[in-house]
DNA sequence: GCCAACGTTGGC
DNA sequence: GCCAACGTTGGC
């Protein structure tokens, strides 16, 4: 059992999109970074906790709680020529990119990025590290507890 | 729109 | 294997 923070641009997939999706579940399409892919492929398990983070928007921050609901499987958008996530160098035989399904748990009052930075308990969060651009970052159990019990 | 930081590409 | 150039991320 692990914990993760996963970034999504709310214009594309917000916590409300997730809540209203069939089975309250969305495939986490579009990860095109090897480190983030490897987290999904090698470490994620069904039931892992997910902090759903809105990025590249007027109010960046944690917008909800979700969970990993599948193990990794090939991201179909890599094979779709019309998709912005198409990858000509990938193939059906040896897919380069994978994804997991994510299921909605609950929406919370937004915890803004600035609020996360105010807490000493969270000062080592990967997502807060200078220059971090990873769209998926590990969250420690202590960080998860603090956020879900004290801030959410 | 700006810009710092990072990842990827490709020439050598 | 090095590294410059380029593209992307993401907060502000």
């Amino acid at each position: 059992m692990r914990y993760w923070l996963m970034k999504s641009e709310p214009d594309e997939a917000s916590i409300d999109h997730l809540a209203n999706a069939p089975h309250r579940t969305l495939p986490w399409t579009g990860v095109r970074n090897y480190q983030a892919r490897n987290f999904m492929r090698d470490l994620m398990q069904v039931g892992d906790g997910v902090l759903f983070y809105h990025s590249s928007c007027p109010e960046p921050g944690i917008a909800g709680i979700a969970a990993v609901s599948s193990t990794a499987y090939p991201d179909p958008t890599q094979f779709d020529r019309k998709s912005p996530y198409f990858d000509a160098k990938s193939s059906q035989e040896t897919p380069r990119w994978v994804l997991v399904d994510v299921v909605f748990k609950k929406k919370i009052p937004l915890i803004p990025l600035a609020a996360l930075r105010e807490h000493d308990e969270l000062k080592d969060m990967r997502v807060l590290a200078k220059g971090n651009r990873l769209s998926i970052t590990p969250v420690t159990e202590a960080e998860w507890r603090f956020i879900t019990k004290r801030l959410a």
Side-chain angles (χ1 to χ4, degrees), chain A residues 20 25-26 51 60 68 71-72 79 85-86 102 111 117 123 130 135 139 150:
Chain A
N20 293 310
T25 297
L26 287 174
L51 301 172
V68 173
T71 52
F79 307 123
Y85 301 123
F86 176 69
V102 170
I111 308 172
R117 293 196 191 281
K123 66 177 171 32
K130 183 177 177 177
S135 64
V139 172
R150 304 276 299 282

Side-chain angles (χ1 to χ4, degrees), chain A residues 5-142:
Chain A
L5 182 143
M6 298 174 78
K7 294 181 192 172
S8 181
E9 300 187 15
D11 285 348
E12 216 173 304
S14 70
I15 190 69
D16 291 322
H17 288 125
L18 184 63
N20 293 310
H23 307 291
R24 296 188 147 193
T25 297
L26 287 174
W28 206 261
T29 52
V31 170
R32 295 293 181 270
N33 168 283
Y34 290 104
Q35 208 178 338
R37 178 203 67 182
N38 293 348
F39 285 145
M40 293 196 285
R41 187 189 63 189
D42 302 334
L43 296 176
M44 279 194 190
Q45 295 181 297
V46 173
D48 282 4
V50 173
L51 301 172
F52 194 110
Y53 182 94
H54 287 173
S55 68
S56 296
C57 58
E59 281 193 298
I62 297 171
I65 309 296
V68 173
S69 61
S70 80
T71 52
Y73 62 95
D75 179 346
T77 64
Q78 70 195 300
F79 307 123
D80 177 1
R81 291 192 165 277
K82 287 173 290 189
S83 167
Y85 301 123
F86 176 69
D87 183 350
K89 291 178 184 163
S90 188
S91 71
Q92 297 274 355
E93 296 73 34
T94 54
R96 179 178 296 198
W97 305 110
V98 299
L99 53 69
V100 297
D101 291 338
V102 170
V103 62
F104 177 85
K105 291 294 179 187
K106 69 173 178 177
K107 186 175 177 177
I108 63 172
L110 187 87
I111 308 172
L113 179 58
L116 295 174
R117 293 196 191 281
E118 287 171 5
H119 296 282
D120 207 47
E121 292 89 340
L122 304 178
K123 66 177 171 32
D124 295 327
M125 275 190 88
R126 281 283 287 280
V127 72
L128 302 182
K130 183 177 177 177
N132 170 70
R133 290 189 338 188
L134 261 188
S135 64
I136 299 175
T137 48
V139 172
T140 67
E141 188 173 356

